[in-house]
Amino acid sequence: MSHHPESSPPVYAERNYLNTPATGLKSWLFTLDHKRIGVMFLVAALIFFAVGGLFAMLIRLELLTPGPTVMDAMTYNRMFTLHGVVMIFLFMIPAIPSGFGNFLVPIMVGAKDVAFPRLNLLSFYVYLLGAVIALGGMIYGGADTGWTFYTPYSTTTTTKVVPILLGAFILGFSSILTGLNFIVTVHTLRAPGITWNKLPLFVWSIYATSIIQILATPVLGMTLLLVAIENAFGWGIFDPARGGDPVLFQHFFWFYSHPAVYIMILPAMAVISEVVCAFSRKNIFGYKAVAYSSLGIAFVGFFTWGHHLFTSGQSAFNAGVFGVLTMFVGIFTAIKVFNWVATMYKGSIDFKTPFIYFIGFLFFLFFGGMTGVALGTVSLDIHWQDTYFVVAHFHFIMVGSTIMAFLAALHYWWPLMTGRMYNERWGLVGATLVVSGFVFTFLPQFLLGNEGMPRRYYNYPERFQALNVASTAGASVLGIGFLIILVYLLVALRHGRIAGTNPWGSRGYEWLTTSPPPFENFDVVPAFERGPHEYHQLPAPGAPGAPGAGHA
Amino acid sequence: MNDLLRRLLFLPTQLSEHARDVDGLHFFVVVTTMVAGLLIFATALAFMIRYRRRSEGETTPEVQPKHWHEAVFVGVPLAFFLLWFAIGYPQFVETTQPPPGAMDVFVQGKKWMWKFAYQGGPSSLDVLRVPVGRPVRLLITSRDVIHSFYVPELRLKLDALPGRYTQTWFQPEVAGRYQVFCAEYCGLSHSGMLAELVVMPAAEFDAWIADQRRGEARAQDAALTAGEQGLPGSSILEQGRRVAADQGCLKCHSVDGSRHIGPTFIDLYGRKEKLTTGEVVVADEAYLTRSMMDPAAQLVAGFQNVMPSFQGRMSPPEVASVVEYIKSLKTPAVSAGPSEGPVYEPSPRK
Amino acid sequence: MHSAVAHHFESLEKQGQAQRLGMWLFLATEVLLFTALFAAYGVYRYLYTEAFAQASRGLETWLGGVNTFVLVTSSFTVAMGLDAIVKGKNRRTALLFGLSILMGCVFMVLKGIEYRHHFLHAELPGQFYGGPIAGSGGSMFFALYFLITGLHAFHVVVGMTVLGVIGARAWMGKYDAQYHVPVELAGLYWHLVDLIWIFVFPLIYLI
Ligand code: HEA
Ligand code: HEA
Ligand code: CUA
Ligand SMILES: [Cu+2]
């Protein structure tokens, strides 16, 4: 299904980052080109996503029946721990910032590369090292603590937590390096035309993400290190038997990990802000509001960690403070949601695959978010804490929103990155399967939570079975959906239709260059005289940025 | 209405006034969310239909928000969120302030069981008996890692932290049996760390506890005499049984032949055990004692190496009594109901 | 254009600006790394006020004092080195950095002596604690003591290595009055290491 039947066939940019300065494995492994590094991050992240997804499927399979189904308790406990660790530290945190961020941020600010290309490559190898150590730990023993590593269990268990802790610790450095790189890039490498108020919203959001990565990650690093030391040498920092305070660990952990959840959603919002404009062919409604609310999230997100400790016997005063602040953090997301919806007003909406994912994203973010706020109301959290309601909450947001956004990004920028189109029809099929399968998987889990089924349960009373079966059924649809996506994307790599410059008729700066982009991003650096989300008064057909440009 | 919504949301029965209040908030939250969602997505849908792309060349006007737009976007949600909080927070505070004169129960979590002790009264494993209509205060702690005491029907949950006490309270309104979950991950059989909350009519409860206190007293001086003269006999078995219960052996080892986390104790003595190493050993006193002191040394085939060592956690006479107790377990034996604390069973025939 | 400019920067100033900003951000992460430990220290000091006070009194404050003096002076010589390179006197910079490294060594040696005494008195973290203080306070204090001072000592070593490398390159004349950002950054890092100690000393030895 050709995009502009009338126009002449689009051209594939022959001189591009995939073949210049060189081709071959070596030229990739030692590349300093942010685009190639971004692609490598993406590939790695997708592989880990598949691994984490495999674990997820096994979890769902085990939960099919109340008793033992396919594995023993010890295996199950390792399974959900590894699932959480892989999905969060190996997939979700690097996926959008280090993957798409690396590819796009420099292009979007009209730079040739990130500020510190060497650090950038280092970041990738640090990430691989961390991943290898963590996975190594999984293969030889694995840990059974849950991704939250709560002490004193994590310091007393006989399973191999230390390698996994070290792995996560090292991964933290990758995250810090990348964040640092982006902040400096945005500050110092913006092309002359691009003022702060003409910064693409994608960049704004990634910028906010980077701030969180820099401020929060070191604390997590230290905390994980303490647990590792504790586990290995028994220094007693978190060990009640030695006067340590196990709850202190939870404060440290969540001081990082609550902001970390915004490390996982802000990049998703970054993608969505771009997608909604491109496919509504419409300027963003409330640019400033959307841009600054990202900073708001980054800031307020640092003061709500206590909402994970409502049942830990924390004082009523603390609970109150953290509770109120939790109410406020929701607002910034609300602003974005409303503005995205309003952006469609008077637009010209094109229902392509990325837009379908946008719809899914909106739906899941809304319900995931609202349930989050509901959890913040303290008294309800007392009932829901550590039940499947929480599991459903964060899957709605992390799988629901973030993965939808991730897939939207994958399809939206696929032509730019590969120079080819994926099959739109299959794209729609995949999107429908993923979205619906997702609802079936996690909606029942909210009800399970209400009914009182605790999480991390290997066996459960009969009365919970019906809903669990429903959830497992949904999960299999989800899995099939992902496999379809995987297949047609791989096919598109070789046989996809040539995309040509700016096939979507988007106004984003990244589309001003040819696809795939040349080695240093622009053959001629444009003047960037208009904003990145301006769609009114289209320029003369054929001019860069006009719908169908590059076909003439 | 209340009941309809409750069923729609799969919420369990409301065992206390607090539970009803919390559900009230729950319903309010659900309704606001649904209404807000309806408005937002109806609008979105309308836009999608009205403004779908009709021709390729289509152009769009620039639309900018007025300040009041953003004000509404912030104001409306914030108002609702703060309202939710204003309702929810007091409900939480209430649970932290037990009324004076509440009956105290000491709750102790331990891998993987719940122990409930009444003031000056008996203690029981995995069954918490409380009277209807009287406030009960729980003083919760843990002996090893963090556990969490959770009764869905009470909409109540509180962590059991090693080395400190946390407290909460409730006032059950309906007699019956309800499940207690462990809601904080605590290892291998976290999901098996269940107990039972038995809410009894007040009179029945009083009778029960009085009876228990008498029983306790008897058992105690029985144990005493046994200690003094060290005669074998029912008393040492009784003591062995209590030690086994207190130490938690019976949490992993059944005495009725059913396979648990550990091998059953019944007919264990003298049994030929196949070890993971493949060799076969006869379970004699030495072996039994070793298994307690250094379980990892000889693993029974088909079992995880999760049994903690009891080196130093049991005095020699206690160990002896447990061994005697295990030896005394021969079929047919009294079967131990899973949730009944074995402490209260008649001592076995011999 | 100056040879040190990377292809993607239009000018030396821009590049320097970027590198400085990068360094400051990195220093921020370093501070937060220690903040976590300081926070833990604060919490336990609050929980075990008496024990911590006692343990703190038991430390050899004078050694800590001398070390503080040494580090501050080394920071000063580093600053002088920076001043020198601005004037283009790269050899002078190298020598001053060497001096600072020497002081770094002194610091490490003194710290080593202190550690040795702790080992002799079995003033060790957690399960290894054999000191006089009853209860958990003592072991907890020394757990944090070794964590904080140990992590700091590690930073001192890293700092010395950095000074060494940059100093050597300065000696070889890799930098000049016009281009000396790396020297600046090395200096910044050393100042941070010094600054952290300025916090550690009163926190652990004095109050
Ligand atoms: C990407 C990840 C992500 C994101 C973005 C969020 C977002 C939020 N989360 Fe979530 N959360 C997690 C991931 C995430 N969470 C994870 C992983 C856990 C579990 C960790 C573990 O224990 O394993 C968790 C757990 C968790 C808890 C603890 C539950 C418990 O264990 O007891 C709480 C409690 O307050 C909470 C709250 C929130 C809130 C208030 C938000 C807010 O940011 C949400 C804001 C969004 C909205 C509010 C939606 C948009 C709003 C509108 C459109 C307004 C319209 C409304 C009206 C008009 C009334 N989260
Ligand atoms: C980003 C984070 C993330 C993601 C994406 C997921 C995805 C999924 N999770 Fe995840 N989950 C967590 C984070 C995540 N989870 C965390 C943090 C926990 C808590 C762990 C703990 O308790 O410590 C958890 C726990 C958790 C539980 C609770 C376990 C328990 O408490 O006992 C369950 C149970 O159903 C579950 C299920 C699922 C399912 C069915 C998916 C599905 O969405 C998975 C679908 C994906 C696939 C089937 C992979 C298929 C992909 C390919 C074949 C290739 C892909 C390639 C392309 C798309 C190009 N998860
Ligand atoms: Cu005890 Cu989970
Ligand atoms: Cu949170």
Side-chain angles (χ1 to χ4, degrees), chain A residues 52-211:
Chain A
L54 182 67
F55 287 142
M57 289 300 139
L58 290 169
I59 291 176
R60 280 320 320 167
L61 196 57
E62 174 54 47
L63 291 175
L64 203 50
T65 68
T69 312
V70 289
M71 58 182 92
D72 62 25
M74 190 54 101
T75 319
Y76 180 82
N77 296 342
R78 291 181 174 139
M79 207 54 80
F80 68 69
T81 305
L82 303 186
H83 167 67
V85 170
V86 168
M87 282 298 198
I88 287 194
F89 293 113
L90 295 186
F91 168 66
M92 186 136 286
I93 288 181
I96 298 183
S98 306
F100 289 108
N102 247 322
F103 194 99
L104 294 166
V105 167
I107 305 184
M108 285 182 168
V109 300
K112 292 200 181 92
D113 205 326
V114 292
F116 310 116
R118 279 189 195 74
L119 279 188
N120 202 13
L121 184 63
L122 178 66
S123 170
F124 178 68
Y125 284 113
V126 170
Y127 166 70
L128 281 192
L129 178 68
V132 166
I133 294 181
L135 288 173
M138 297 176 187
I139 289 157
Y140 125 110
D144 72 333
T145 59
W147 83 285
T148 49
F149 302 111
Y150 272 19
T151 53
Y153 185 77
S154 58
T155 57
T156 50
T157 175
T158 53
T159 53
K160 304 284 179 298
V161 265
V162 176
I164 299 202
L165 288 168
L166 287 182
F169 175 75
I170 294 172
L171 288 165
F173 281 98
S174 164
S175 176
I176 290 177
L177 288 176
T178 303
L180 189 149
N181 225 332
F182 287 161
I183 293 183
V184 177
T185 307
V186 173
H187 272 278
T188 58
L189 287 182
R190 273 176 290 121
I194 303 177
T195 61
W196 283 96
N197 283 336
K198 276 164 74 183
L199 209 54
L201 287 166
F202 181 88
V203 179
W204 264 112
S205 233
I206 295 287
Y207 180 79
T209 312
S210 308
I211 293 176

Side-chain angles (χ1 to χ4, degrees), chain B residues 292-323:
Chain B
M292 293 181 228
M293 295 312 144
D294 185 7
Q298 291 171 307
L299 293 184
V300 184
F303 290 92
Q304 297 271 1
N305 175 19
V306 294
M307 170 167 170
S309 163
F310 289 84
Q311 188 80 49
R313 278 166 63 178
M314 294 160 70
S315 67
E318 282 178 327
V319 176
S321 68
V322 173
V323 172

Side-chain angles (χ1 to χ4, degrees), chain A residues 46 49-50 52-54 56-57 59-60 63 76 80-81 83-85 87-88 91-92 145-148 264 388 391 394-395 398-399 403 406-407 410 438 441-442 445 455-457 471 475 478-479 482-483 485-486 489:
Chain A
L46 276 178
F49 177 58
L54 182 67
M57 289 300 139
I59 291 176
R60 280 320 320 167
L63 291 175
Y76 180 82
F80 68 69
T81 305
H83 167 67
V85 170
M87 282 298 198
I88 287 194
F91 168 66
M92 186 136 286
T145 59
W147 83 285
T148 49
M264 295 183 259
Y388 265 80
V391 174
F394 65 76
H395 282 87
M398 293 200 297
V399 194
I403 298 229
F406 177 79
L407 291 172
L410 204 57
F438 179 80
T441 312
F442 294 104
Q445 294 188 3
R455 56 192 282 205
R456 298 167 176 174
Y457 260 32
S471 179
L478 197 55
F482 280 115
L483 282 172
I485 296 173
L486 180 63
L489 284 183

Side-chain angles (χ1 to χ4, degrees), chain A residues 361-423:
Chain A
F361 170 92
L362 213 58
F363 180 81
F364 297 133
L365 179 70
F366 176 79
F367 286 104
M370 293 300 273
T371 50
V373 179
L375 283 162
T377 57
V378 198
S379 71
L380 274 169
D381 181 71
I382 300 302
H383 176 51
W384 283 329
Q385 204 274 332
D386 267 331
T387 66
Y388 265 80
F389 190 93
V390 175
V391 174
H393 155 66
F394 65 76
H395 282 87
F396 251 64
I397 289 203
M398 293 200 297
V399 194
S401 318
T402 309
I403 298 229
M404 295 309 140
F406 177 79
L407 291 172
L410 204 57
H411 291 79
Y412 177 48
W413 284 302
W414 186 265
L416 183 65
M417 299 172 109
T418 66
R420 294 178 176 276
M421 289 306 263
Y422 57 90
N423 180 314

